[in-house]
């Protein structure tokens, strides 16, 4: 799922400075799981904005904002949105941009999208995949060097690796050591000597569905 | 002359490294290079060392080349994509620089522009392969070049990093891909280095272990934070106790050099900021 965090409230006030009547969109998908754009957070933000003198025209937790069909239907069926000066949207960048397509009034994103997260429990997420368009996991013991190596190296660790930790942060495992250990268990560490070609980034830029 | 030819001719080879100044006035650096001239076979010129901004290693390498030094120009993957790397390699050839050391490069987060976008479009293995293509007169994408370029290409290995086995595998891989020599991260544990050396000496690429001159306890503690550098507590204690820490640091370096000389085919000296002391070492 897409992991998001809230921008500073001061930032929200700044972008809505000229507007008094606000509508808030939340997200019933990832942002609910992340507790950044679920019903609870939408209402809490509403209360905070009201205490700053704003009027909350209404809110709607979309199921899910990154699906344009749902967004289009919301604008068609919910006429009260038109009474607002702008829409605050608590969703990831994908959700924001589908709302942007249909909204007749200004919209303000109030979350920062961080990464595609694997969830251990609420509030504990791992950044394991950066959706690179060309998955190499088959060759790397299903541990992603594109995302989990700070340099995205494909042919083994850099010289900064030590005691299994990454040079960037000694609390982070060097993924190449994890890959090496997984290979060691299977008795095929020599696979590390196989050369992996430079990545082809084309797919991530030109992919179009249909 | 190519560094590879120097390696062929000489049983014991000494290199040292210079980081260009924080600015464009090379006067002091050039004075120091003159002092070390009689003692070293080649000088490495670092490339935005420790992810901090300095003048181009290519430009400074060329200046040293003009003054008759053999140079080993560093090139990191951190700041360039594959177009820029190849372009610089062709540039290196035009400038008459014959030796190049490939490094992935310390991550920008550790340097003085932590906000920058790291590149790492190629890793060192891929860069070695790319250099082999250029040597054959073609680009990474298979296009023909006017001419072939010739370069002696080196890489880095960290013998003290665990798991060591993984470092050895990486070294073998880099040799197959075209690494002709290696320089290491600073060695402080000579016994451990010797065990590493015994495993890799048959690989066919000369390894120059690095000796870092630690000029003070504070400096040693700071260097211990650099990725890949482990300075034993006993040396830091000696520097703390010493009346003249620099002298003690040189003594420690000499002890390491003497121990390495028993078996190593050379050494690489790092004396950041105090290169003028290199002539005092027992090299
Ligand atoms: S290689 Fe890594 S980033 Fe790319 S798709 Fe696979 S897991 Fe995701
Ligand atoms: S230490 Fe490991 S994970 Fe960190 S940058 Fe180097 S190779 Fe990548």
């Amino acid at each position: 799922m897409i992991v998001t965090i809230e921008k500073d409230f001061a930032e929200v006030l700044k972008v809505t400075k000229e507007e008094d009547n606000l509508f808030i969109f939340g997200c019933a998908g990832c942002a609910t799981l992340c507790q950044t754009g679920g019903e609870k957070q939408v209402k809490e933000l509403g209360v905070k904005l009201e205490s700053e003198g704003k009027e909350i025209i209404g809110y709607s937790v979309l199921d899910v904002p990154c699906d344009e069909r749902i967004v289009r239907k919301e604008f068609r069926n919910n006429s009260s949105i038109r009474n607002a000066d702008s829409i605050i949207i608590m969703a990831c960048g994908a959700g924001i941009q589908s709302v942007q397509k249909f909204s007749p009034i200004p919209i303000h994103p109030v979350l920062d999208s961080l990464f595609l997260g694997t969830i251990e429990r609420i509030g504990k997420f791992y950044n394991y995949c950066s959706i690179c368009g060309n998955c190499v996991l088959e060759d790397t013991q299903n541990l992603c060097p594109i995302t989990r190596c700070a340099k995205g190296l494909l042919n083994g660790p850099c010289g900064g690796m030590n005691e299994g930790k990454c040079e960037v942060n000694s609390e982070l495992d060097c993924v190449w050591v994890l890959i090496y250990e997984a290979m060691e268990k299977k008795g095929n560490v020599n696979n590390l000597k196989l050369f992996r070609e430079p990545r082809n980034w084309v797919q991530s830029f030109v992919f179009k569905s249909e | 002359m190519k560094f590879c030819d120097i390696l062929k001719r000489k049983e014991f080879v000494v290199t040292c490294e210079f980081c260009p100044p924080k600015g464009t006035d090379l006067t002091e650096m050039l004075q120091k290079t003159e002092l070390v001239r009689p003692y070293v076979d080649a000088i490495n010129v670092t490339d935005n060392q420790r992810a901090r901004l300095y003048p181009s290693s290519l430009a400074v390498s060329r200046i040293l080349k003009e003054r008759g030094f053999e140079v080993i120009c560093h090139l990191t993957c951190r700041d360039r994509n594959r177009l820029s790397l190849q372009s610089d390699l062709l540039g290196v050839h035009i400038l008459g620089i014959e030796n190049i050391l490939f490094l992935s490069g310390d991550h920008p987060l550790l340097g003085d522009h932590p906000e920058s976008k790291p590149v790492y479009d190629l890793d060192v293995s891929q860069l070695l392969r790319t250099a082999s293509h250029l040597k054959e007169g073609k680009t990474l994408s298979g296009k023909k070049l006017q001419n072939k370029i010739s370069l002696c290409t080196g890489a880095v290995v960290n013998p003290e990093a665990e798991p060591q086995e993984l470092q050895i595998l990486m070294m073998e891989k880099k040799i197959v891909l075209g690494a002709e020599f290696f320089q290491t991260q600073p060695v402080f544990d000579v016994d451990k280095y010797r065990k590493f050396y015994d495993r890799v000496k048959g690989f066919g690429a000369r390894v120059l272990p690095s000796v870092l001159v630690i000029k003070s306890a504070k400096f040693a503690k700071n260097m211990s934070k650099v990725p890949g550098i482990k300075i034993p507590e006993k040396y830091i204690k000696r520097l703390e106790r010493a009346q003249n820490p620099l002298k003690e640091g040189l003594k420690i370096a000499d002890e390491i050099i003497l121990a390495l000389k028993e078996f190593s085919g050379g050494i690489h000296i790092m004396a950041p900021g105090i290169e003028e002391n290199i002539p005092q070492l027992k090299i």
Side-chain angles (χ1 to χ4, degrees), chain B residues 5-260:
Chain B
D5 295 327
I6 298 177
L7 290 173
K8 265 180 223 140
R9 276 194 344 198
K10 290 185 80 172
E11 261 177 51
F12 192 80
V13 170
V14 180
T15 56
C16 74
E17 76 183 31
F18 278 86
C19 175
K22 198 91 182 169
T24 55
D25 181 0
L26 299 181
T27 318
E28 191 188 331
M29 187 190 129
L30 291 176
Q31 279 163 359
K32 288 184 177 181
T33 55
E34 285 313 320
L35 296 174
V36 304
R37 190 190 284 272
Y39 303 93
V40 299
D41 296 292
I43 290 179
N44 285 50
V45 180
T46 58
D47 173 19
N48 285 340
Q49 192 176 34
R50 296 166 63 195
R52 296 177 187 182
L53 177 76
Y54 297 102
S56 148
S57 58
L58 272 69
V60 176
S61 293
R62 165 69 198 192
I63 297 289
L64 291 182
K65 185 82 194 169
E66 280 170 11
R67 280 162 177 72
F69 289 99
E70 287 315 321
V71 284
I72 300 172
C73 178
H74 288 203
L75 194 73
T76 72
C77 300
R78 175 190 54 230
D79 309 325
R80 303 165 175 86
N81 69 4
R82 60 192 81 179
L83 277 165
S84 180
L85 284 166
Q86 292 180 94
S87 172
D88 276 350
L89 285 174
L90 298 177
V92 156
H93 187 76
I94 292 171
L95 292 173
I97 300 161
E98 295 169 287
N99 314 299
I100 190 120
L101 186 82
F102 294 144
L103 308 94
S104 63
D106 288 347
H107 197 281
L109 279 172
L110 307 172
D112 66 2
H113 287 66
E115 312 82 359
S116 70
K117 183 175 185 185
V119 184
Y120 304 110
D121 184 28
L122 301 185
D123 58 31
V124 169
S125 299
Q126 293 160 345
L127 182 53
L128 282 162
R129 170 61 64 84
T130 305
S132 305
H133 286 317
L134 299 179
K135 288 186 203 177
E136 287 159 14
K138 57 178 206 272
T139 70
L140 180 60
S141 61
K143 297 270 184 301
K144 221 172 140 322
L145 291 165
Q146 260 177 345
N147 56 297
K148 300 177 178 183
I149 66 164
S150 76
L151 267 179
C152 171
T153 46
V156 175
V157 62
N158 186 355
E160 296 204 356
E162 292 294 348
Q164 198 183 64
E165 193 62 39
L166 184 49
Q167 293 293 329
I168 292 173
L169 280 166
M170 289 304 292
M171 201 179 148
E172 283 183 88
K173 180 168 183 167
K174 287 177 183 169
I175 292 171
V176 170
L177 292 166
E180 294 163 273
F181 68 94
F182 287 84
Q183 289 172 318
T184 75
Q185 313 281 44
V187 168
F188 283 97
D189 183 344
V190 179
D191 288 338
K192 184 165 180 186
Y193 177 71
R194 183 158 200 162
K195 286 191 192 107
F196 166 84
Y197 174 78
D198 285 338
R199 303 242 347 242
V200 305
K201 64 182 175 200
F203 288 180
R206 187 92 66 96
V207 190
L208 300 189
S210 289
V211 178
L212 173 69
V213 183
I214 38 178
K215 61 185 171 202
S216 69
K218 188 170 160 234
F219 172 81
K221 282 178 191 157
N222 278 337
M223 287 309 276
S224 299
K225 292 182 199 139
V226 175
I229 301 186
K230 277 198 269 188
I231 304 178
E233 221 12 74
K234 64 172 181 189
Y235 291 138
I236 297 179
K237 287 235 168 68
R238 273 174 64 179
L239 292 171
E240 274 166 351
R241 278 197 304 263
Q243 291 263 316
N244 181 340
L246 173 61
K247 220 168 142 195
E248 189 67 18
L250 289 163
K251 209 169 139 207
I252 293 171
D254 272 338
E255 291 165 16
I256 297 170
I257 292 169
L258 281 179
L260 287 170

Side-chain angles (χ1 to χ4, degrees), chain A residues 128-137 144-147 199:
Chain A
Y128 283 168
C129 168
S130 28
I131 339 182
C132 72
N134 200 345
C135 196
V136 302
L137 288 180
C144 173
I146 304 286
T147 314
R199 283 187 50 77

